[in-house]
Amino acid sequence: MPRPSWIAVGRAFLGLGLTAFGGPVAHIGHFHRELVERRQWVPPDAFAEIVAVSQVLPGPSSSQAGLVIGWRLAGWRGALAAFVAFTAPSALLMLALALAAPGLLATLGGGWASGLKAAAAAVVLIAGVQMARQTAPDLQRGIVLVVAALAALGYGGVGQLWILAVALAMGAVLPPAALPQGSRSNGEESGTPSRRALAGGGLLLAAASLLLGLAVALPPNPAGAAYVSGALVFGGGHAVLPLLEGEFVGRGWLDRETFLAGYGAAQALPGPLFAFGAYLGAVEGGVWQGLLVMLALFAPGALLVLGLEPLWPALRRSTRVRGSLALAGAAATGLLAAAFLNTVAPEAFRSPATLMIALGALLMLTLFRMPPPLVVLIAAGAGLTVG
């Protein structure tokens, strides 16, 4: 079957960006149905490896998978088209919410935000349980998860970077079980292996240089904080919550209520959860800062996955690399558990009314299998009514 054009890739991912609800794991299911089964653009074994790589690297796993698929199908134009088309719907909605948030609070009061925060508690709890099953399937990684959670509870946002760094170092010395591996077959991008490896090394160098410059050389700023957070997200979109909360709320750029209301609203939208970055930047700085913060949040994951794309066949044979990434994933789940206990749960359970909304949302998501967007909307309406 001939390769699609970058325009065709963009159209396919725009459809996914408008309809792919449910978070990173659900997104992968949408990708498989659309790109592997229906369009037959990606062979099943190549898709399996793309997903495996995106899940063990820092960054938003579904967006990273989309970037690699777009790259293999139509080069850099395909990668750009896939990213923009998949991200634009949720980003635009997040920007609109950020600009409307002050007016909504003034007109409707804080009840709708309380409902959103209660729904966010249910979503984060379920996501944390799912992440724990994936990132800590054995005793070794289970211990890392628990220790990371306890350390984060004791030291807060200050210790998160050190917790992840220690997990990466431990994984290199005590590697856990091997990660899934696929086989590369069809869909390779053009260019000689040496040129692809050189280009990949350049992207990795750019990612490291930006991280060093934004984390060390420049004074704290929203875009820099988003980039550093995006570079340290192991385990998918929900794992970014504690890092962003530590940066944006901890530094006083946003109050916790505004942060959690936006995070709750993000659960009701299709596409990548990292579009939440547009909301964080736009609440105080307007549209352009919102776009800058969102792109900064996505940037390290994009640079890493595209940089490692030509190098992965060699790296995946290293037990030290796989071990480091696996233990970091378990530690990231521990950070999410600490964020739930420290930040999300107290806001959701602050009154009997919000506790009932949170428990209702949990039942709707688990027992009745209702879609998260509908549950979030119901919770917001319930909060508005109670408020």
Side-chain angles (χ1 to χ4, degrees):
M1 184 175 182
R3 289 189 183 186
S5 67
W6 66 270
I7 296 176
V9 171
R11 283 199 298 263
F13 274 92
L14 179 60
L16 291 166
L18 291 168
T19 59
F21 292 92
V25 176
H27 295 168
I28 296 301
H30 287 287
F31 286 6
H32 191 276
R33 283 192 297 271
E34 180 68 18
L35 305 173
V36 178
E37 296 175 8
R38 194 174 83 83
R39 298 180 183 268
Q40 297 182 354
W41 283 351
V42 185
D45 56 349
F47 183 83
E49 174 156 302
I50 290 171
V51 171
V53 173
S54 65
Q55 287 178 338
V56 300
L57 290 177
S61 56
S62 58
S63 295
Q64 289 172 304
L67 276 169
V68 175
I69 290 171
W71 179 273
R72 292 192 183 187
L73 292 175
W76 68 267
R77 291 182 182 88
L80 184 60
F83 171 76
V84 172
F86 185 56
T87 308
S90 54
L92 292 174
L93 290 170
M94 281 278 92
L95 287 173
L97 177 63
L99 298 178
L104 284 174
L105 283 172
T107 304
L108 303 177
W112 67 279
S114 297
L116 289 176
K117 289 183 286 185
V123 172
V124 172
L125 177 60
I126 294 171
V129 173
Q130 293 173 340
M131 285 176 57
R133 290 173 179 169
Q134 295 171 357
T135 61
D138 51 55
L139 178 62
Q140 184 188 51
R141 280 177 277 186
I143 293 173
V144 170
L145 187 158
V146 172
V147 171
L150 293 175
L153 288 171
Y155 294 99
V158 177
Q160 290 178 0
L161 302 184
W162 289 108
I163 292 169
L164 289 173
V166 169
L168 284 165
M170 286 177 57
V173 178
L174 301 171
L179 297 170
Q181 298 182 32
S183 61
R184 295 177 63 105
S185 54
N186 300 328
E188 297 280 358
E189 67 277 11
S190 60
T192 63
S194 59
R195 291 177 63 182
R196 292 200 303 267
L198 185 61
L203 291 177
L204 295 177
L205 180 61
S209 300
L210 283 170
L211 179 61
L212 183 63
L214 292 171
V216 178
L218 297 179
N221 62 87
Y227 185 93
V228 174
S229 298
L232 298 171
V233 177
F234 292 87
H238 290 286
V240 80
L241 171 65
L243 299 172
L244 290 177
E245 192 269 342
E247 293 287 348
F248 283 81
V249 178
R251 295 184 185 276
W253 295 332
L254 286 180
D255 61 84
R256 183 168 291 173
E257 179 176 348
T258 303
F259 178 90
L260 288 176
Y263 189 80
Q267 317 302 324
L269 303 181
L273 187 58
F274 269 38
F276 177 48
Y279 171 89
L280 294 178
V283 167
E284 296 294 338
V287 171
W288 292 112
Q289 179 167 294
L291 291 174
L292 180 61
V293 169
M294 184 190 72
L295 291 175
L297 188 60
F298 275 106
L303 292 172
L304 280 174
V305 75
L306 292 177
L308 286 174
E309 162 70 357
L311 306 175
W312 184 251
L315 290 176
R316 67 181 173 179
R317 292 192 291 269
S318 170
T319 57
R320 295 182 184 276
V321 171
R322 298 200 309 271
S324 291
L325 295 175
L327 285 197
T333 305
L335 296 183
L336 181 62
F340 176 81
L341 295 173
N342 261 339
T343 302
V344 181
E347 289 290 330
F349 304 156
R350 64 194 305 177
S351 71
T354 55
L355 175 59
M356 292 303 296
I357 294 173
L359 291 176
L362 186 63
L363 288 175
M364 285 186 283
L365 289 167
T366 56
L367 186 62
F368 298 104
R369 303 290 183 181
M370 294 174 63
L374 179 59
V375 173
V376 170
L377 293 176
I378 292 173
L384 180 61
T385 302
V386 173

